[in-house]
Amino acid sequence: MRRIGILTGGGDCPGLNAAIRAVVRTAVGRHKWEVLGFRDGWRGVMDGDVRDLTLESVQGILHRGGTILGSSGANPYLEGGADRIRSNCRDLDVDALIVIGGEGTLGAAARMADEGLPLIGIPKTIDNDLSGTDYCIGFHTAVQIATDAIDRLHSTAESHNRLMLVEVMGRSAGWIALYSGLAGGADMIMIPERPFDLDEVGMHLRHRHLNGHSFSIVVVAEGATPVEGTMDLPQYPRDPRGFTRFGGIAHHLAPVLEEKTGFETRVTVIGHVQRGGTPNADDRILATRFGVAATDLVAHARWGRMVALRGSEVVDIPLSDAAKVRPVPEELYRVAGVFFDS
Ligand code: F6P
């Protein structure tokens, strides 16, 4: 092993730089390898667009959000780029890749690994919806940002006797909604795993106000859907790769809830603020542990594996087990439900 490559793909998140730093420090400092950083995820590998990553170039980035390598949703299998990836790795003398990504980026990595490319995966997504790991890089920070927003909304909601609808990210799973809703004391949480019926939600909120409460906080994940046949939501637009571009469901629900409850309703969509800025301590530590562990897996040639957190242990699992959605378990939603009832 002389030279490895690293890339960050998919939506960015806080903690990516901490992972890049950990990989470079382990690879260069401990193993005496060289590290090349590919720009903009798989796009950089397909185009051979690289920069050297030295100990100096990762100085001072531990606490910085975003990714110094850039990111994109490029996917070699949607863009006919798998052969270019193999030949670029050969031409650049890259012996192995460390791929930091979510479902799409790691799905492509699993397939490239099956076809013989030596690589290791690191899970990141604020949505926290990858199978096989308890947490992904970025989730803890996103939850903190959403919780801070809910805390702030509480005081203004109280003053004006209102319903506050807070929309958070989570396209296929409601991890951010569930965690921030629990931490922020939400009165109702709507997630993709549990289709909602606005008649029931409205009834529940009216009941709560009849019990003497003057305001309610409702957290809704962007990917939440109504029980079939209860209401129509407009079609979301698609991004250039054909994937649904979520965002804005709260604006559709607010007038309906206002009508059903009679309570004035206001909407806050937290949006990309959840993905921006400084990673919190949990994400820095998780990213650092994952970066060191992934580089050690390269040293042991454990190709096609992904580092994962199980309990408090960092383990490794087959990449193919990870690149599928992990829903919020029923048990967690039941915990949240205790606080919807009064
Ligand atoms: O996958 C993470 C995520 O934050 C989703 O929750 C959200 O739908 C998506 O990224 C938005 O990403 P972008 O605006 O970069 O396409």
Side-chain angles (χ1 to χ4, degrees):
M1 187 73 49
R2 288 198 332 265
R3 180 182 286 168
I4 65 169
I6 179 170
L7 60 127
T8 51
D12 75 334
C13 68
L16 292 175
N17 285 326
I20 295 168
R21 167 182 176 268
V23 167
V24 173
R25 292 286 292 267
T26 315
V28 178
R30 183 180 285 179
H31 298 295
K32 313 296 173 208
W33 305 332
E34 290 171 357
V35 184
L36 290 185
F38 288 95
R39 292 196 178 87
D40 305 337
W42 284 118
R43 204 272 308 153
V45 201
M46 289 189 278
D47 294 348
D49 186 1
V50 284
R51 56 175 282 195
D52 288 325
L53 288 178
T54 60
L55 292 177
E56 291 70 41
S57 54
V58 297
Q59 258 170 26
I61 66 167
L62 172 62
H63 64 287
R64 274 173 53 193
T67 159
I68 59 166
L69 293 176
S71 193
S72 77
N75 184 319
Y77 292 100
L78 299 179
E79 292 158 49
D83 286 339
R84 276 188 286 146
I85 286 178
R86 283 184 277 270
S87 64
N88 282 336
C89 285
R90 241 187 344 262
D91 295 348
L92 290 163
D93 283 330
V94 168
D95 300 311
L97 286 178
I98 292 184
V99 181
I100 309 178
E103 198 192 345
T105 303
L106 293 183
R111 206 165 146 190
M112 297 278 338
D114 276 352
E115 293 172 10
L117 195 73
L119 61 81
I120 302 293
I122 297 181
K124 70 83 223 175
T125 164
I126 64 163
D127 287 4
N128 203 42
D129 60 358
L130 287 176
S131 287
T133 182
D134 293 349
Y135 294 112
C136 301
I137 298 171
F139 173 65
H140 290 298
T141 307
V143 168
Q144 191 59 57
I145 293 168
T147 304
D148 290 346
I150 295 168
D151 285 349
R152 284 175 185 277
L153 288 169
H154 256 112
S155 62
T156 169
E158 269 168 359
S159 319
H160 288 281
N161 215 334
R162 280 173 174 161
L163 279 189
M164 287 294 189
L165 210 46
V166 190
E167 179 180 319
V168 298
M169 282 184 170
R171 46 194 308 133
S172 315
W175 289 97
I176 300 177
L178 203 280
Y179 267 56
S180 63
L182 266 182
D187 305 302
M188 174 59 67
I189 301 172
M190 293 148 81
I191 59 176
E193 292 84 341
R194 307 261 312 201
F196 58 81
D197 177 341
L198 275 200
D199 278 333
E200 274 174 23
V201 176
M203 220 151 59
H204 163 79
L205 295 172
R206 274 206 312 277
H207 180 71
R208 180 181 141 77
H209 288 227
L210 283 175
N211 277 345
H213 296 281
S214 61
F215 72 96
S216 296
I217 305 269
V218 178
V219 179
V220 56
E222 61 182 359
T225 52
V227 171
E228 220 182 305
T230 57
M231 81 179 283
D232 290 326
L233 285 177
Q235 283 282 316
Y236 291 108
R238 300 202 168 252
D239 71 14
R241 292 190 170 78
F243 294 107
T244 306
R245 187 178 282 163
F246 284 91
I249 187 173
H251 288 293
H252 299 295
L253 304 186
V256 185
L257 269 185
E258 190 164 278
E259 201 215 299
K260 287 187 191 296
T261 60
F263 306 131
E264 220 183 296
T265 303
R266 291 288 189 271
V267 168
T268 304
V269 179
I270 308 181
H272 290 76
V273 170
Q274 282 156 105
R275 261 175 34 186
T278 307
N280 72 8
D282 286 331
D283 274 324
R284 294 184 205 186
I285 292 164
L286 185 66
T288 299
R289 293 180 72 192
F290 278 173
V292 172
T295 315
D296 286 342
L297 285 176
V298 171
H300 292 103
R302 304 257 298 147
W303 310 130
R305 311 289 293 179
M306 183 190 85
V307 292
L309 191 74
R310 293 271 175 85
S312 57
E313 298 282 304
V314 173
V315 299
D316 59 275
I317 62 171
L319 255 173
S320 48
D321 286 0
K324 44 186 179 252
V325 171
R326 183 174 67 112
V328 170
E330 181 62 29
E331 178 269 324
L332 257 182
Y333 196 79
R334 272 213 309 277
V335 172
V338 169
F339 305 92
F340 301 164
D341 285 343
S342 51

